[in-house]
Amino acid sequence: MTTKKQIRALFEQLASRHDDIIVRGPIIILKPMRHVYRAISIERSSSADYPGFNWHMGHAFNPFGSIYGFGFEPIWLSKDGPRRWSEPGFAEAAITAIEHQGLSMLRRAGTIDDMVLTSGELCAPRHNGWLNHYEPYRIHILAALGRFDEAAAIYEQIKDWHLRMTSWPRPAFEKATELGALVTAGDRPAVAALLHQWEEEFATKNDLLPVYERTPFPLELQP
């Protein structure tokens, strides 16, 4: 299995080349973090010599947000180059793949609008599925962008769903319903306050306060 020492050594080498990332164990996080969380991880596989590399993205104002964002999306090493720890040149090949497939793309998604636009360009089924089709996330993002009519329409569809739920999605739908009610009432200050609260809780829970920058949501900048 890939060791913590191998992960740390590769990520420290990568971090020495870029001043906008921090290392947190098996994951690197792009900074600053405002409303969009962006990261890259090394995952251990059943083969000690063969790690997996993934990029992650998600909105930081998710009340149940994870350091893995919406999930795992792969970064592929070249079939023509080294793909195992034991092969000469592996570290450089892995860093090149991370830089070209991961960092370059994630840097383009520093804002909520950028995250939405970038997702349309990616073959990323898990990421795009959560972002574009999961109702709680849609309400969060549309509310943050100030697109209240669209967020309210989704809220009207799902506002009673959590009452019939007994499994894991219930808390997420309850929180989305809380936000959706404020959106439907047109209470912009309350919507902004709740989103900021969720974002700061996410940063605190995941030890991201050193890279977190509190900034206005798009809805707060609209006339």
Side-chain angles (χ1 to χ4, degrees), residues 8-28:
R8 183 173 62 252
L10 191 145
F11 272 166
E12 287 178 352
Q13 184 177 342
L14 178 66
S16 71
R17 295 161 57 153
H18 302 277
D19 60 6
D20 63 342
I21 62 177
I22 61 170
V23 180
R24 286 283 193 273
I27 198 164
I28 58 171

Side-chain angles (χ1 to χ4, degrees), residues 81-139:
R83 305 179 73 186
R84 298 179 181 275
W85 290 110
S86 59
E87 295 177 328
F90 172 79
E92 185 61 34
I95 288 173
T96 298
I98 290 170
E99 289 174 334
H100 291 175
Q101 296 178 47
L103 292 179
S104 62
M105 179 271 294
L106 292 174
R107 286 181 178 131
R108 291 163 43 215
T111 70
I112 303 170
D113 275 321
D114 290 339
M115 178 179 73
V116 173
L117 290 173
T118 302
S119 72
E121 303 172 4
L122 301 172
C123 180
R126 186 191 301 267
H127 174 82
N128 289 334
W130 286 113
L131 179 64
N132 296 309
H133 302 292
Y134 186 53
E135 292 89 352
Y137 294 172
R138 294 292 294 150
I139 292 177

Side-chain angles (χ1 to χ4, degrees), residues 22-214:
I22 61 170
V23 180
R24 286 283 193 273
I27 198 164
I28 58 171
I29 299 159
L30 272 75
K31 58 181 183 178
M33 185 190 78
R34 298 185 177 103
H35 304 311
V36 180
Y37 173 79
R38 301 160 295 163
I40 292 170
S41 67
I42 299 179
E43 303 301 326
R44 301 177 179 185
S45 71
S46 57
S47 169
D49 204 26
Y50 190 75
F53 298 88
N54 299 284
W55 62 263
H56 312 269
M57 195 189 316
H59 57 299
F61 47 98
N62 177 0
F64 300 102
S66 161
I67 60 168
Y68 292 105
F70 293 142
F72 296 77
E73 296 293 348
I75 294 172
W76 302 107
L77 273 63
S78 171
K79 295 180 180 179
D80 300 325
R83 305 179 73 186
R84 298 179 181 275
W85 290 110
S86 59
E87 295 177 328
F90 172 79
E92 185 61 34
I95 288 173
T96 298
I98 290 170
E99 289 174 334
H100 291 175
Q101 296 178 47
L103 292 179
S104 62
M105 179 271 294
L106 292 174
R107 286 181 178 131
R108 291 163 43 215
T111 70
I112 303 170
D113 275 321
D114 290 339
M115 178 179 73
V116 173
L117 290 173
T118 302
S119 72
E121 303 172 4
L122 301 172
C123 180
R126 186 191 301 267
H127 174 82
N128 289 334
W130 286 113
L131 179 64
N132 296 309
H133 302 292
Y134 186 53
E135 292 89 352
Y137 294 172
R138 294 292 294 150
I139 292 177
H140 302 165
I141 292 167
L142 291 168
L145 291 173
R147 292 160 59 178
F148 277 20
D149 288 346
E150 296 170 75
I154 299 173
Y155 163 72
E156 289 298 329
Q157 293 175 6
I158 64 100
K159 63 182 180 181
D160 296 325
W161 288 8
H162 70 280
L163 300 175
R164 301 187 296 273
M165 291 178 175
T166 58
S167 60
W168 67 266
R170 177 169 182 157
F173 278 83
E174 284 185 299
K175 290 290 188 180
T177 297
E178 177 186 357
L179 177 63
L182 297 175
V183 167
T184 301
D187 192 339
R188 285 178 173 262
V191 169
L194 185 58
L195 293 175
H196 280 298
Q197 176 188 326
W198 289 349
E199 193 171 79
E200 290 171 7
E201 289 173 349
F202 172 83
T204 301
K205 177 181 69 176
N206 293 295
D207 191 25
L208 296 172
L209 289 175
V211 300
Y212 170 58
E213 293 184 4
R214 180 184 170 109

